[in-house]
Amino acid sequence: MARQLNRSVRPWRGAVLAGAALYFLVPLAASVVFTVDVPGQGITFDAYTQIFGTDGFVSSLLLSLELAAATIAIVLLLMVPAMVALRLGAPKLRPVVEIVCSLPLVVPPIAFVAGIGTVLKWGPEHLSRTPLFQTFVSIQNPDFPFVLVLAYVVMALPFVYRALDAGLRAMDVRTLVEAARSCGAGWPQALVRAVLPNLRGALLNASFLTLALVLGEFTVAQLLGFQPFAVWIVNVSGSQAQLSVAVSVLSLLVTWALLLALAGFGGRSRTAPRG
C-alpha cells in the first residue's frame, strides 16, 4: 500500500518542482536577458562590469552589511537567553512570547515607520534640554543610522523566534544545562558551552534570515531618509534601468549562494561524528 502511494505521489512531486522552477527561473532568465541584450549592440556585459564603479554602490552595500551585522548581534543577544530562560523557567509564557514576537508580521511597515517618525520628531522638541537630545541625534547619523538597527531588530523577531524555537525543540535544554551546572559551570558558561554549540544550525538560520531581511528592506529606510543597498537600487533604476536589474540579479545569486552554503554547512554539522 505504501509503495503504491509513493508511486502515485512521485509524478505530482516532479510536476510541483518543475512548476516552482519555472516560476523562479523564468523571471530570472528574463532579467538576465534584459541586462545583457542591448539594442543595436547585441550581447554585452557592460551592466555587470559597471556595478562596482557606480557611485554609491560600495558605500550603500557596506552600510547594509554593517546594519545587518549589528542587527544580528543585538537580536541574538536578546532572543537566545530569553528563549532558553523561557524554556527552562516559564514554559507557560511561551504563547505570550510567541504572540509578541509575531506582532511585526501584523503591523504594516507604513504604520511602523510612521510611529518611528513620530517619536523621532517628538523627541528633539520635548527633550532639547535633556541629555537624551543628543541620543536622538546620534541614532539618526547618516553614516550609521542606529535607528534602522532598532527597527530591523523588531522586524526580525518573528523569523529569529521561529528559528530558535525549532532548534530548542530538537534538543533537551534542561538536561544540557543541568549537566553543565553539575560540572561547576555558571549560568553564562552553561549557555555558551552547552547550549549554543547545539544551536549552531538554528543560529545560522536566524542570522541568514535577518541578513536577507536587512539587505532587502526598503520601506523603513526610504521613509526615514536613509540610503542602504535596497534604496540605492531603487534610486539607480530611475536613470540606469539595466544597471539596477543587473545589481538585483547579482544580489539574488549571492543570496542563493549563501543559502546553499548555509544548508551544506548545517548538514555537515548535523552529520559530523561526535567523539
Side-chain angles (χ1 to χ4, degrees):
M1 185 66 178
R3 292 180 179 179
Q4 294 178 354
L5 182 61
N6 290 333
R7 291 176 182 176
S8 62
V9 170
R10 286 178 182 175
W12 289 103
R13 182 187 303 171
V16 171
L17 292 176
L22 291 175
Y23 180 80
F24 286 104
L25 294 179
V26 170
L28 179 61
S31 300
V32 173
V33 172
F34 174 76
T35 58
V36 300
D37 187 12
V38 180
Q41 299 183 15
I43 302 299
T44 177
F45 293 93
D46 291 342
Y48 291 94
T49 57
Q50 295 174 359
I51 289 177
F52 298 99
T54 305
D55 185 31
F57 170 76
V58 176
S59 59
S60 62
L61 180 59
L62 289 178
L63 176 60
S64 291
L65 293 177
E66 292 173 357
L67 294 173
T71 304
I72 291 171
I74 293 176
V75 75
L76 290 182
L77 286 175
L78 289 175
M79 290 300 296
V80 172
M83 294 288 293
V84 173
L86 182 68
R87 194 166 187 85
L88 292 176
K92 294 183 179 180
L93 293 179
R94 182 180 174 275
V96 178
V97 177
E98 182 177 1
I99 293 174
V100 172
C101 291
S102 301
L103 285 178
L105 297 176
V106 181
V107 179
I110 296 295
F112 180 55
V113 71
I116 296 176
T118 301
V119 173
L120 293 178
K121 292 178 181 178
W122 174 87
E125 294 178 358
H126 295 79
L127 302 175
S128 58
R129 298 181 180 180
T130 66
L132 291 178
F133 174 78
Q134 189 61 36
T135 302
F136 275 86
V137 175
S138 60
I139 64 175
Q140 300 179 70
N141 185 359
D143 295 333
F144 185 78
F146 191 75
V147 64
L148 289 183
V149 175
L150 300 177
Y152 293 157
V153 167
V154 176
M155 297 172 66
L157 284 179
F159 311 105
V160 175
Y161 174 83
R162 291 297 179 185
L164 295 179
D165 184 63
L168 290 172
R169 284 176 175 270
M171 54 186 284
D172 191 349
V173 181
R174 187 176 299 276
T175 301
L176 289 173
V177 172
E178 290 179 354
R181 294 281 292 168
S182 64
C183 294
W187 285 106
Q189 290 179 329
L191 178 64
V192 173
R193 297 185 179 182
V195 177
L196 292 186
N198 292 278
L199 273 179
R200 182 181 302 175
L203 294 174
L204 288 174
N205 291 334
S207 300
F208 179 80
L209 291 173
T210 305
L211 174 64
L213 170 70
V214 175
L215 290 180
E217 200 286 320
F218 170 80
T219 304
V220 176
Q222 171 68 16
L223 294 180
L224 291 180
F226 302 108
Q227 190 174 348
F229 190 56
V231 178
W232 177 83
I233 292 177
V234 175
N235 292 338
V236 170
S237 65
S239 57
Q240 305 180 58
Q242 283 188 319
L243 179 64
S244 66
V245 175
V247 173
S248 300
V249 171
L250 182 62
S251 62
L252 181 61
L253 294 177
V254 171
T255 303
W256 282 2
L258 290 174
L259 179 59
L260 293 175
L262 175 63
F265 181 78
R268 287 196 301 270
S269 65
R270 285 191 297 267
T271 58
R274 298 179 179 179

